[in-house]
Amino acid sequence: MKKTASLAVAAVAILVMALAGAAQTAFDSTRAYEHLRQIVQFGPRPAGSAALESTRKYFRQQLGAIGVQTSDQTFNASTPIGPVKMTNVVATIPGARPERIVFTGHYDTKLFRDFTFVGANDGGSSAAFLLELARVLKARKNPLTMEILFLDGEEAFHPTEWRGTDHTYGSRYYVEAAKRDGTLKSIRALVLVDMIGGRDLTLDRETNSTPWLTETLWQTARKLGVQDNFPDRPEPIEDDHLPFLEAGVQAVDIIDLNHYAAAGWWHTREDTLDKTSARSLQVVGDVLLAALPTIEARLVKGAATAPKPKTGRH
Ligand SMILES: [Zn+2]
C-alpha cells in the first residue's frame, strides 16, 4: 500500500510538473494582448519618434524580466523626409546549436500627419506577439538558437506609395550588416509576422515565401482545425522578408493584409484595438509553436538546403 501510495504521489507530482511545463511553453494570448494594449497606449509610433523609444523601453523591461538579453542596432536611414535614426532590437535565446531561427516583425507605425494612427494591428500586433513568443521560447528546450528581431522602419514615409527604397529600412540594414559581419549564414530560417491581430484573421498564403515553410504552417493549421484563418489563398506581398530571401535566407511571411484592408482598417484611423482580438494572436501562436518541431527537425538535419543541381546524365 505504502509503495503504491508513494508511486501514486510521484505520478501526480510528475503530472503536475508536466502540466506546469506545458503551460509555460504554450502561447498565452492574454499576455500577448496585454502587451498590445500597452504598446498602443504609447500612441502613434513612427520611426524616430519618442513614442517608439518608449516602446523599445517596454521591450527591454519585459524581456529583461524573463531573463532575455537584448541589444540595439541603431542606424541613420536616409528617407524622403531626411535622415531618420532607427533602431532594430535583437533578443537572443541561446539553443543547443549556434545556428539560428529568426522570428521577426516590425514595431514602427506608419507616419500620418493628418490623423491619429495608432497601428494596433499594423505594427502593434507583431511586436506584442513577439514579446509573448520570446517568453515561450525562453521556457522551451531549443535545438537551435532563437532570435527575436523587432524591426524598425518597415513603413514607407510617402503617405500612399511604397516605392524605391522608401520602406523596409530596418530589415535591409540588418541583412547588409549581417552580410558584412558574417552572421547571415548562420540564419537557417526566418519567420515574419505582420498584421496578425485582426479580429477576423484571414492570412494570405504569401507566394514569395519559401514554399516548404508555408506548407508546414498551413498544414499544421488544418490539423489544428483553424484553416478558416489560414485559407489557401495565394497572394504575393512585399514585406520585411524580401531582403532576407534575396540574400538566400529561407523565409515565410504570415500576414493578413487583404482582408484587413478590405474592411477599411489598413493604414486608416480605424486600425485601433477594437479591430483586433486576442484569439487571432492565439491562433498564430498555436500554429507556429505546433509547426516548430517539424521546422526545427528539417533545419537541424540540413535537409532544407537547396536540392542538388541535376547533372543531366540520366
Ligand atoms: Zn503598414
Side-chain angles (χ1 to χ4, degrees):
M1 268 312 282
K2 197 172 176 237
K3 195 172 182 187
T4 311
S6 61
L7 274 176
V9 168
V12 168
I14 287 164
L15 183 66
V16 166
M17 279 158 61
L19 287 173
Q24 288 237 313
T25 52
F27 191 91
D28 179 357
S29 59
T30 306
R31 290 173 197 257
Y33 205 74
E34 177 57 20
H35 291 314
L36 179 57
R37 224 178 49 75
Q38 295 287 342
I39 290 167
V40 166
Q41 58 92 27
F42 291 123
R45 308 174 298 286
S49 66
L52 203 59
E53 176 51 34
S54 301
T55 309
R56 281 190 288 275
K57 202 173 156 198
Y58 180 74
F59 294 166
R60 291 183 205 114
Q61 279 168 353
Q62 294 298 315
L63 292 166
I66 57 164
V68 172
Q69 298 300 314
T70 65
S71 64
D72 287 355
Q73 183 181 52
T74 299
F75 60 101
N76 270 304
S78 159
T79 83
I81 64 162
V84 175
K85 193 175 157 192
M86 299 187 185
T87 302
N88 296 326
V89 178
V90 187
T92 306
I93 301 165
R97 296 168 68 119
E99 297 93 342
R100 65 201 201 276
I101 304 180
V102 178
F103 298 91
T104 190
H106 77 96
Y107 73 101
D108 62 309
T109 58
K110 188 166 172 63
L111 173 67
F112 288 104
R113 298 188 196 275
D114 48 347
F115 62 90
T116 302
F117 179 75
V118 297
N121 194 24
D122 193 0
S125 66
S126 35
F129 180 89
L130 292 174
L131 282 176
E132 168 57 6
L133 185 68
R135 186 193 66 80
V136 176
L137 295 178
K138 171 74 177 166
R140 184 178 180 269
K141 260 201 163 24
N142 300 304
L144 295 166
T145 292
M146 299 296 188
E147 180 174 312
I148 310 283
L149 171 62
F150 300 86
L151 289 168
D152 201 347
E154 185 266 352
E155 299 289 2
F157 284 88
H158 189 283
T160 53
E161 286 179 48
W162 170 284
R163 62 184 176 197
T165 55
D166 180 26
H167 51 73
T168 59
Y169 294 95
S171 50
R172 286 185 294 112
Y173 183 85
Y174 180 98
V175 168
E176 286 313 309
K179 273 186 195 167
R180 275 199 305 273
D181 68 18
T183 56
L184 188 81
K185 56 184 180 296
S186 66
I187 305 178
R188 303 306 309 273
L190 176 126
V191 177
L192 170 64
V193 292
D194 193 2
M195 301 175 68
I196 43 146
R199 68 187 187 197
D200 304 314
L201 184 73
T202 310
L203 298 161
D204 298 299
R205 196 170 162 129
E206 200 288 310
T207 54
N208 296 303
S209 299
T210 304
W212 75 264
L213 279 170
T214 312
E215 187 49 35
T216 304
L217 290 164
W218 262 248
Q219 234 173 48
T220 305
R222 284 196 290 275
K223 267 188 220 152
L224 297 186
V226 292
Q227 60 273 15
D228 287 358
N229 302 114
F230 284 74
D232 278 321
R233 188 177 64 188
E235 188 69 38
I237 295 170
E238 292 180 28
D239 206 345
D240 277 319
H241 61 320
L242 293 191
F244 289 90
L245 283 167
E246 282 159 14
V249 175
Q250 310 184 89
V252 59
D253 187 10
I254 307 173
I255 180 167
D256 169 8
L257 175 61
N258 290 313
H259 189 78
Y260 203 74
W265 302 337
W266 176 58
H267 288 181
T268 71
R269 69 179 79 233
E270 296 299 319
D271 188 359
T272 46
L273 216 46
D274 55 311
K275 312 308 185 310
T276 64
S277 83
R279 187 199 168 261
S280 299
L281 299 174
Q282 187 69 52
V283 165
V284 177
D286 287 346
V287 170
L288 183 53
L289 287 165
L292 194 50
T294 307
I295 294 171
E296 287 170 326
R298 181 153 172 172
L299 295 177
V300 168
K301 265 195 305 192
T305 50
K308 285 186 190 124
K310 290 196 177 92
T311 59
R313 274 173 186 263
H314 293 285

